[in-house]
Amino acid sequence: MKRFYSDAAVVPADEGYAVVLDGRPVKTPGQRPVAAPTRALAEAVAEEWQAQGETLDPAAMPLARSLNSAIDTSDEQRAAVVTSLSRYAETDLLCYRAAGQPDLAERQRYLWQPYLDWAAERFAARFALAEGVMPVVQPQATVDALAAAVARFDRFRLTGVHLAAGVTGSVVLALALEARFASAEQVWTAASLDEAFQAELWGEDSEAAERRAGIAAEVRAADRFLSLLDAG
């Protein structure tokens, strides 16, 4: 789609701060006005619109995509997102340690265990660990505790946490990012640990490098979205 506007700006609105293009409201795919709960987030989304060239590139607008998703999330969809996040607790990346690779298993323990200890203290969520890829059944109390934790988020914050969990495979890492227990770089390092270890041993092909770069970009986007919700 060709660019159809000159200027993107932010104006006060009933829903918070609306993004406008040449004074006209921007609409989500669900035809709702694009408005953020904080001026900082609205201004960042407007900057994404302003930075577009002659042809619009949605891939270059991660904040706008996340904001649209949050706005268009119905109550029913919100409940589905909460359920989806609670299911990540059943298969969380941090619970699966390498079998037959003691060096990798030790690195996983060193890097991942602090997050599990934090979750146990913060949410009373204690995970069972496993070696290899065979599923391990997590205590129902743990799944319920994390479901309750994410259910408390509004639809904006829930969107950022869901994005982080989806790209990392870990609701614990996503919650650590939201709570500022860990930075985006720390979360990305934890989420891509296995790939980084294998790259050290065997080298990294272009496909693997692209995948790791994609994880990093998505984690940073989720982190910035959540940070702008806190910025006021």
Side-chain angles (χ1 to χ4, degrees):
M1 178 187 296
K2 290 188 176 298
R3 180 166 175 158
F4 55 88
Y5 57 92
S6 297
D7 297 304
V10 172
V11 297
D14 291 342
E15 301 86 357
Y17 300 90
V19 179
V20 296
L21 304 177
D22 294 339
R24 294 188 293 273
V26 180
K27 296 293 184 67
T28 69
Q31 294 303 302
R32 295 178 175 86
V34 172
T38 66
R39 177 177 285 277
L41 177 55
E43 288 178 345
V45 170
E47 288 171 5
E48 288 185 339
W49 281 99
Q50 191 64 35
Q52 294 291 296
E54 292 183 4
T55 301
L56 300 183
D57 179 13
M61 305 175 69
L63 296 175
R65 292 200 312 272
S66 293
L67 182 57
N68 287 345
S69 178
I71 293 169
D72 281 343
T73 297
S74 66
D75 289 343
E76 182 177 333
Q77 290 168 325
R78 184 183 184 283
V81 172
V82 170
T83 299
S84 173
L85 282 167
S86 69
R87 286 176 179 161
Y88 274 105
E90 299 173 358
T91 59
D92 201 282
L93 168 75
L94 306 187
C95 298
Y96 291 86
R97 309 298 167 83
Q101 292 183 285
D103 290 344
L104 175 55
E106 174 57 25
R107 193 176 299 187
Q108 290 170 334
R109 184 199 65 77
Y110 176 79
L111 199 59
W112 291 352
Q113 193 58 44
Y115 293 104
L116 296 179
D117 292 343
W118 171 79
E121 181 177 353
R122 178 74 177 262
F123 306 110
R126 293 170 174 81
F127 286 87
L129 303 183
E131 287 190 356
V133 296
M134 293 302 294
V136 59
V137 177
Q138 297 297 342
Q140 189 60 45
T142 292
V143 177
D144 291 345
L146 292 182
V150 299
R152 289 193 288 268
F153 294 137
D154 62 28
R155 58 181 173 168
F156 298 98
R157 202 166 295 276
L158 189 66
T159 295
V161 171
H162 193 229
L163 172 60
V167 73
T168 62
S170 170
V171 68
V172 174
L173 288 177
L175 289 169
L177 186 70
E178 189 280 331
R180 297 295 173 261
F181 178 74
S183 68
E185 295 306 311
Q186 290 170 324
V187 167
W188 168 68
T189 298
S192 62
L193 172 59
D194 289 3
E195 291 87 345
F197 183 84
Q198 298 304 326
E200 289 176 12
L201 289 180
W202 313 109
E204 187 173 46
D205 60 30
S206 59
E207 184 177 337
E210 184 176 346
R211 179 182 180 278
R212 291 185 66 207
I215 293 174
E218 292 291 338
V219 170
R220 292 187 188 112
D223 178 62
R224 188 164 183 231
F225 186 77
L226 291 166
S227 297
L228 291 166
L229 291 174
D230 294 329

